[in-house]
């Protein structure tokens, strides 16, 4: 059930500049804070009581581990845009334009020709 | 009755504005050609003299999320804010406020319900780049009222390709029946083969050039039979994990009908191929001349484009 929660994290972080900055600064602490302030809330008054991360999910989000998230079937659009927002500028400065994205594609190359894990929940 | 003067189906490339306004030292080699093609394509809309734009796109997890994801949805507002923070951040797309057309939104929504498409609707829809990209490319003054229609090409399970075609046909029927002397253009964007977050993204070309060529032939010849025979969710996934945006182009072809396109152009870029297609359901001399002029300027054509036969060289 927590694939939804992983997507909820990615979605709600990516759309808010303050959360993006916190996640870039300290992913582990940001995930804890996000759970308390955003994750368990349906809206400002209502809670969703049964959602949580597994240890693997938490680790993948702390490490911005796109290889794990791809294999897991988290939604590609969500972690692609967030991780580009967090990492791409620094990589561009150090290694040139699109270096982060192309390294990403290269690391996932073993998936070429195979059916990808579904992003359906 | 209203007159449908143009149907535009194109890819939406969020980096167009950035690429064509970058300072010379950062400009990609194809920027001038890209700009020329887009400006030529724009003329095919201008010649149709639209008063209202019916616009088809797909929210990219900007407003809609998996807690409540609409399969088909129509906006019903006087105004629409556009462009989300993360689109400004990643693509450098500016914010807009577009006028709506509440009367046509309501007429369209009722017509869709009457015809068996039970649409979701929104009175607080914010528009994302699937609709702002074509505003930037073909109507940069952003001076016309819009009726936004959103589809789910993104969060499975998705509707079938046939359903997108049928929806296009119904939208056409509703526009044709709209009691107004306004001229309406329908503009929709989607994708050819596209990969996001997977091993085939950001390559030298789109992930499946053969599919792209085939898709352009099918669309530009109005060949819905071939599409329904060959295109499935699985076949699109094998062409690139985000290729399902092609179904919005099928929808646009549904609005035009099973007809040859009147203008077709394309541009092979890194990551994905751009396609620019226009149908004139009620073509007049002015439109035909605009299409011919644009084709000459941009290297496009004023009719169908056929995929090279297997084994032939480009
Ligand atoms: Fe898109």
């Amino acid at each position: 059930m927590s694939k939804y929660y992983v997507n909820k994290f990615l979605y709600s972080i990516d759309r808010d500049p303050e959360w993006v900055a916190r996640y870039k600064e300290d992913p582990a602490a940001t995930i804890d804070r996000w759970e308390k302030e955003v994750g368990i809330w349906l809206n400002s008054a209502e809670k969703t009581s049964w959602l949580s991360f597994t240890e693997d999910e938490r680790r993948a989000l702390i490490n911005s581990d796109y290889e794990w998230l791809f294999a897991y079937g988290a939604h590609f659009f969500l972690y692609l845009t967030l991780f580009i927002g967090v990492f791409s500028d620094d990589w561009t400065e150090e290694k040139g334009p699109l270096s982060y994205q192309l390294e990403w594609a290269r690391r996932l190359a073993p998936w070429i020709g195979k059916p990808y894990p579904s992003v359906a929940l | 009755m209203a007159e449908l003067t143009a149907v535009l189906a194109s890819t939406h490339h969020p980096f167009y504005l950035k690429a064509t306004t970058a300072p010379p030292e950062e400009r990609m080699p194809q920027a001038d050609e890209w700009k020329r093609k887009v400006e030529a394509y724009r003329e095919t809309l201008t010649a149709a003299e639209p008063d209202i734009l019916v616009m088809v796109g797909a929210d990219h997890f900007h407003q809609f999320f998996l807690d409540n994801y609409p399969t088909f949805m129509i906006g019903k507002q006087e105004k629409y804010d556009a462009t989300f923070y993360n689109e400004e951040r990643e693509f450098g797309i500016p914010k807009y406020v577009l006028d709506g057309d509440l009367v046509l939104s309501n007429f369209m929504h009722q017509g869709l319900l009457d015809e068996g498409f039970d649409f979701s609707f929104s009175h607080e829809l914010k528009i994302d780049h699937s609709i702002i990209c074509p505003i930037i490319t073909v109507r940069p003054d952003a001076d016309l009222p819009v009726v936004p229609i959103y589809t789910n090409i993104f969060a499975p399970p998705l509707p079938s390709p046939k359903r997108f075609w049928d929806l296009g046909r119904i939208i056409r029927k509703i526009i044709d029946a709209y009691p107004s002397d306004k001229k309406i253009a329908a503009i929709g964007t989607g994708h050819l083969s596209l990969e996001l977050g997977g091993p085939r993204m950001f390559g030298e070309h789109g992930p499946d050039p053969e599919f792209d060529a085939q898709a352009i032939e099918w669309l530009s010849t109005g060949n819905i039979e071939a599409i329904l025979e060959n295109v499935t969710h699985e076949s699109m996934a094998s062409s690139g994990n985000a290729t399902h945006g092609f179904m919005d182009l099928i929808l646009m072809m549904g609005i035009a009908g099973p007809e040859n396109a009147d203008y077709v152009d394309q541009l092979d870029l890194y990551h994905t191929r751009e396609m620019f297609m226009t149908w004139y359901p009620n073509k007049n001399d002015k439109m035909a001349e605009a299409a011919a002029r644009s084709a000459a300027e941009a290297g496009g054509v004023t009719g169908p484009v056929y995929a090279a036969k297997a084994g032939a060289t480009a």
Side-chain angles (χ1 to χ4, degrees), chain B residues 10-286:
Chain B
S10 83
T11 46
H12 62 247
H13 202 309
F15 285 110
Y16 169 76
L17 189 63
K18 219 178 190 176
T20 54
T21 54
E25 66 276 13
E26 288 169 28
R27 227 169 146 82
M28 62 189 278
Q30 286 155 306
D32 291 329
E33 187 187 9
W34 197 358
K35 188 157 188 263
R36 192 166 65 244
K37 283 179 178 290
V38 161
E39 288 175 357
Y41 186 46
R42 183 180 306 157
E43 293 307 316
T44 71
L45 176 67
T46 308
E49 301 176 337
D51 301 306
I52 309 172
L53 305 177
V54 171
M55 303 202 67
V56 175
D59 181 83
H60 298 62
F61 284 131
H62 290 120
Q63 178 162 354
F64 307 142
F65 184 60
L66 302 169
D67 59 336
N68 187 2
Y69 204 101
T71 297
F72 294 118
M73 200 223 64
I74 184 166
K76 302 181 34 145
Q77 294 159 217
E78 300 278 5
K79 301 266 183 196
Y80 298 91
D81 286 304
T83 311
F84 290 79
Y85 141 73
N86 47 10
E87 298 176 294
E88 287 185 284
R89 182 189 77 207
E90 189 173 358
F91 311 129
I93 298 176
K95 291 202 184 292
Y96 288 82
V97 183
L98 303 181
D99 284 332
D101 187 311
L102 208 41
V103 179
L104 180 54
S105 272
N106 285 332
F107 184 82
M108 181 69 72
H109 190 194
Q110 189 58 53
L112 290 162
L113 292 165
D114 293 345
E115 294 285 350
F117 275 92
D118 303 325
F119 260 55
S120 301
F121 57 94
S122 176
H123 294 273
E124 193 177 356
L125 174 68
K126 182 162 183 171
I127 283 176
D128 84 345
H129 70 265
S130 63
I131 284 179
I132 284 305
C133 287
I135 291 291
I136 290 170
T137 53
V138 296
R139 197 72 187 188
D141 291 342
D143 58 343
L144 294 177
V146 302
V147 171
I149 290 174
Y150 271 86
T151 66
N152 177 15
I153 49 100
F154 223 62
L158 309 177
S160 66
K162 168 89 165 44
R163 194 71 174 150
F164 280 79
W165 164 259
D166 289 344
L167 176 56
R169 296 274 63 208
I170 294 303
I171 291 172
R172 169 61 177 274
K173 190 173 167 188
I174 296 166
I175 292 173
D176 285 346
Y178 184 47
S180 159
D181 56 5
K182 298 274 173 62
K183 291 178 180 168
I184 296 176
I187 302 174
T189 65
H191 300 289
L192 297 170
S193 69
L194 179 65
E195 176 107 336
L196 297 173
R200 294 172 290 175
M201 68 174 171
F202 293 105
E204 243 176 275
H205 310 280
D208 190 346
E210 261 176 56
F211 169 81
D212 295 347
Q214 197 63 74
I216 290 171
E217 173 179 324
W218 290 331
L219 292 170
S220 68
T221 55
N223 192 348
I224 186 60
E225 287 81 17
I227 288 177
L228 296 183
E229 215 167 280
N230 291 286
V231 178
T232 63
H233 293 152
E234 292 72 29
S235 78
M236 285 184 279
S238 73
S239 295
N241 65 350
T243 304
H244 305 84
F246 177 62
M247 292 192 291
D248 278 333
L249 304 181
I250 300 174
L251 190 164
M252 297 317 293
M253 186 178 112
I255 299 178
E259 306 286 341
N260 285 343
D262 295 289
Y263 182 81
V264 185
D265 193 16
Q266 53 189 300
L267 176 63
D268 186 28
L269 290 172
Y270 79 96
H271 191 48
T272 184
R273 178 177 290 265
E274 283 269 81
M275 182 201 83
F276 312 105
M277 198 172 291
T278 301
W279 289 265
Y280 291 126
N282 299 287
K283 184 155 67 171
N284 62 27
D285 289 349
K286 190 176 177 185

